[in-house]
Amino acid sequence: MTATEEFADDAEYGWWLNTHPDGFVLAVRTRSAPLLHRATCPEVDRDVHPGRLGAKGARQVCADTKSALRAWLARELPTDGKLLARCPKCGP
């Protein structure tokens, strides 16, 4: 099983995105289904979208593989486990 990471600190999150260009980010929001992105997607860049990504209840879970994020979703949010959407902009 591949590890997942979550970063509250913008600098650590930005470092992870820059050092894992082939990785993936699961954007978890309170009002919509979790959305899977490529690490290079501007939609999960906190510099581009600081307010949206830092909103109450919003989380970005990072991993090198999609399967690690699916496992995290099934374990951490079992009721949402089958509701994984894919970003239409980066197409992970």
Side-chain angles (χ1 to χ4, degrees), residues 37-88:
H37 298 269
R38 293 183 184 280
T40 56
C41 183
E43 294 299 310
V44 291
D45 186 330
R46 288 185 182 169
D47 291 333
V48 176
H49 300 287
R52 179 176 62 191
L53 297 177
K56 183 177 179 180
R59 300 166 71 181
Q60 294 83 48
V61 184
C62 307
D64 289 324
T65 65
K66 292 186 253 186
S67 60
L69 291 172
R70 286 188 188 104
W72 180 91
L73 187 60
R75 184 178 63 251
E76 299 293 326
L77 302 171
T79 58
D80 293 336
K82 296 187 186 338
L83 300 175
L84 178 63
R86 294 172 55 189
C87 174

Side-chain angles (χ1 to χ4, degrees), residues 16-18 20-25 37-45 90:
W16 191 93
L17 292 178
N18 289 332
H20 295 84
D22 295 328
F24 299 92
V25 177
H37 298 269
R38 293 183 184 280
T40 56
C41 183
E43 294 299 310
V44 291
D45 186 330
C90 67

